[in-house]
Amino acid sequence: MFALVDVNAFYASCEKVFRPDLENKPIIVLSNNDGCVIARNDEAKELGIKMGQPYFTLSPEFISQYAIQVFSSNYALYADMSHRVMETLATLAPNIEIYSIDEAFCQLSYSEQQLSLAWQGKIIRDTIQQHNHLTVGVGIGPTKTLAKLANYAAKKWRKTEGVVVLSERNRQRKLMAITPVAEVWGIGRQLTRQLNMMNIHTAMDLAQLSPYQARKKFNVIVERTVRELNGESCLSLEEVSEPRKQIVCSRSFGEKVTEFIVMQEAICNYTARAAEKLRADGQYCQHITVFIRSSPFTPNTPYYSNYASEILAATNDTRQLLTAAQKILKRIWLEDRIYQKAGVILNDFHHHKLKQFDLFLDHKKQIKNETLMKTIDQINRSNMGKIFFASQGVKGQWHMKQQFLSPAYTTQVKDLAKVKIS
DNA sequence: TCTGGGGTCCTAGGACCC
DNA sequence: TCTGGGGTCCTAGGACCC
C-alpha cells in the first residue's frame, strides 16, 4: 500500500510555526518578487483569494479589513522545515520517496497482526503534528494515483480527520464517482477540457475508459493513469532519486532592467548559482543556455524574448560558465528594451566518474581548477563570508522584491526566536 | 507601478545512416 | 505506370507536476 503524506498549506503553515499570534488569521505567501499568491491557509481561502492571483489585485483596504498576513517566500525556512518533516516521516515508514518540498510517498504494510492502515495513518499525522507543528493529510491506496486521490479527500472533507484509506474497491468507486476528473493526478487543464468534450467528467468516468482508448486518444501517461485508477500499480516507489538532468536559475527583476551592465551582473549571478548547484550534484555540463525577456503584460511596448546556447567541453568551473554566459548575452541583447526576466539553463550532464576530459587542456591544471572551485564552495557554505566573481557585481540593482520576508528562524543564529521570561 | 520558479516526460518531425 | 524499408538521434513544443 502507498501512503501520500502532504503538509496542509505548507508555506503558510511554516510561517505560523514561530508566530503563534497568527492562529486563526488569514495568511498568504507570495511568489518570488512578491508577484503572485502561491500559498494560503484555510482562512485566506475562505476570503476567496485564488492560487496564483497577482498580489497587486488585492487592494490595501481588503488586506487591512481582514487583517490578512502577507509574507514573501522564505525558502531558507521552508526547505529546513521540509527536511524536518521528512526526517520524522522516515522514522515512521522505512521506505519513503520524497516527491516535492511538502509531500512524500511511503510504503505501508499491513496484515492481521499489524495495526490497521487507518491507524498507521493517524500515527503519522499525530507524530508530525507533535514533532514539527505542521498538519499533514494522509491518503492511502494500492497505487500512487489512488493514494493521491485519497489525500485529496482527506483534505477536502474535515470529518475524515486528515486520513483516508482506499483499500477496498467499493470505497475507491464511491470516491471516484464524486471527484471531478481534473483532480486526478496527471490530468491538467488541457486534458480536462478534452476529456469533458468526450463526456468524461468524474474520476470514475475516466477509470471506465479502456486503457487502449486512453493510449490511442491521448498518450501513454493517460493510459497509465487509467490503469492506476483501476488498482493496477504502474508506478513504483522511487526511494533513490535519479540525478537531475537540467538546472535552471532564473528570476524576475524587482525593477525592470534596461542597462546592459545590470543585466550582465544578473546573468553572472544566476550562472554562479547554477554552477554551485551543479558541483553540489557532482556533475558536469556540456550545454548552457541564457535567456532574457521583457514583460508580456505591458501593452504598447515591443515584446522581446530570446535565448541562445553554447556547447562546452564538460565543465562545472564557474569561470568557464561565466565566459560562455557573457558571450551568449552579447549575442541576444537588444538595446531599448525593458527587461523583466532573465535566466540561465544548464543541460547535457555527465557524472564526475564518466567525465570526458578536454583533450587540449593540461590535466594538472584541470585538477587545480577543481580544487579552486571546491575551496570556494567550502568557504561560501561556511559562515565566514562569501567569495564571488567580479562580474557578479556588487550593486545588485537587479535584485528581486521581498518586502514581507520573515526571519530564517531555523537556519540563522541571529534569527533564533527569543523567549521572554516575566 | 504590479503577473514565480524549477523540474519531468512524451510526441512529431526532420535529418541522417545503411 | 513506376522511386523501399528500417533504423537512430536531436529538437521544439506541449503537457504535466509542485
Side-chain angles (χ1 to χ4, degrees), chain A residues 43 47 72 131 170 207 255 291 307 312 404 412:
Chain A
E43 289 83 351
L47 293 175
S72 303
H131 291 195
N170 258 347
E255 266 174 47
F291 71 88
Y307 67 90
L312 309 153
F404 315 106
Q412 285 285 348

Side-chain angles (χ1 to χ4, degrees), chain A residues 73-173:
Chain A
S73 291
N74 181 346
Y75 286 103
L77 176 64
Y78 311 148
D80 187 62
M81 293 302 283
S82 170
H83 238 105
R84 293 169 182 224
V85 170
M86 298 307 171
E87 272 183 356
T88 306
L89 194 56
T91 65
L92 300 167
N95 307 316
I96 71 171
E97 170 190 339
I98 297 172
Y99 178 66
S100 76
I101 193 161
D102 78 325
E103 60 190 298
F105 286 103
C106 37
Q107 204 119 51
L108 298 183
S109 59
Y110 72 113
S111 62
E112 292 288 311
Q113 301 84 37
Q114 277 185 319
L115 295 173
S116 75
L117 289 166
W119 196 253
Q120 292 183 52
K122 185 172 159 43
I123 290 177
I124 289 175
R125 189 173 144 96
D126 291 349
T127 312
I128 292 175
Q129 185 79 62
Q130 189 188 350
H131 291 195
N132 309 107
H133 286 246
L134 292 167
T135 307
V136 297
V138 183
I140 299 170
T143 67
K144 281 182 163 179
T145 305
L146 285 169
K148 270 273 195 184
L149 200 71
N151 181 278
Y152 160 79
K155 282 204 173 146
K156 174 138 181 139
W157 287 287
R158 210 160 268 171
K159 67 170 187 190
T160 61
E161 295 185 342
V163 181
V164 168
V165 180
L166 287 183
S167 50
E168 293 156 35
R169 191 62 192 151
N170 258 347
R171 284 180 62 94
Q172 293 167 17
R173 296 174 69 94

Side-chain angles (χ1 to χ4, degrees), chain A residues 91-315:
Chain A
T91 65
L92 300 167
N95 307 316
I96 71 171
E97 170 190 339
I98 297 172
Y99 178 66
S100 76
I101 193 161
D102 78 325
E103 60 190 298
F105 286 103
C106 37
Q107 204 119 51
L108 298 183
S109 59
Y110 72 113
S111 62
E112 292 288 311
Q113 301 84 37
Q114 277 185 319
L115 295 173
S116 75
L117 289 166
W119 196 253
Q120 292 183 52
K122 185 172 159 43
I123 290 177
I124 289 175
R125 189 173 144 96
D126 291 349
T127 312
I128 292 175
Q129 185 79 62
Q130 189 188 350
H131 291 195
N132 309 107
H133 286 246
L134 292 167
T135 307
V136 297
V138 183
I140 299 170
T143 67
K144 281 182 163 179
T145 305
L146 285 169
K148 270 273 195 184
L149 200 71
N151 181 278
Y152 160 79
K155 282 204 173 146
K156 174 138 181 139
W157 287 287
R158 210 160 268 171
K159 67 170 187 190
T160 61
E161 295 185 342
V163 181
V164 168
V165 180
L166 287 183
S167 50
E168 293 156 35
R169 191 62 192 151
N170 258 347
R171 284 180 62 94
Q172 293 167 17
R173 296 174 69 94
K174 249 167 104 176
L175 176 59
M176 285 195 292
I178 56 167
T179 306
V181 71
E183 300 297 338
V184 175
W185 190 36
I187 304 299
R189 279 231 305 278
Q190 296 305 316
L191 282 171
T192 299
R193 197 173 49 81
Q194 293 175 51
L195 287 165
N196 286 347
M197 284 195 301
M198 293 166 63
N199 222 8
I200 293 171
H201 298 279
T202 66
M204 192 67 215
D205 296 339
L206 180 60
Q208 282 165 349
L209 193 67
S210 79
Y212 172 75
Q213 285 290 322
R215 175 75 180 245
K216 208 175 128 191
K217 293 224 163 79
F218 301 96
N219 55 39
V220 65
I221 299 179
V222 179
E223 177 190 353
R224 212 162 50 197
T225 301
V226 169
R227 291 183 186 275
E228 285 239 322
L229 283 177
N230 286 295
E232 181 186 340
S233 182
C234 306
L235 299 163
S236 57
L237 198 74
E238 282 163 36
E239 292 175 67
V240 188
S241 56
E242 292 282 308
R244 266 193 291 218
K245 295 173 180 168
Q246 176 177 76
I247 289 173
V248 180
C249 273
S250 74
R251 290 282 179 280
S252 297
F253 302 121
E255 266 174 47
K256 303 257 186 291
V257 169
T258 50
E259 278 176 65
F260 180 80
I261 182 73
V262 179
M263 178 65 90
Q264 190 173 42
E265 285 183 5
I267 289 293
C268 289
N269 274 279
Y270 304 150
T271 306
R273 177 79 196 104
E276 217 173 277
K277 286 190 192 175
L278 190 63
R279 291 193 293 272
D281 287 359
Q283 304 232 73
Y284 294 78
C285 77
Q286 295 192 149
H287 195 263
I288 176 170
T289 302
V290 172
F291 71 88
I292 55 178
R293 69 168 168 85
S294 59
S295 169
F297 298 107
T298 329
N300 308 323
T301 56
Y303 177 64
Y304 178 67
S305 172
N306 203 357
Y307 67 90
S309 306
E310 284 274 308
I311 292 170
L312 309 153
T315 184

Side-chain angles (χ1 to χ4, degrees), chain A residues 286 312-315 320 355-366:
Chain A
Q286 295 192 149
L312 309 153
T315 184
Q320 284 178 32
K355 188 194 170 190
Q356 178 79 57
F357 282 98
D358 189 330
L359 183 62
F360 304 106
L361 262 184
D362 178 2
H363 185 64
K364 272 189 193 145
K365 201 173 156 194
Q366 289 191 53

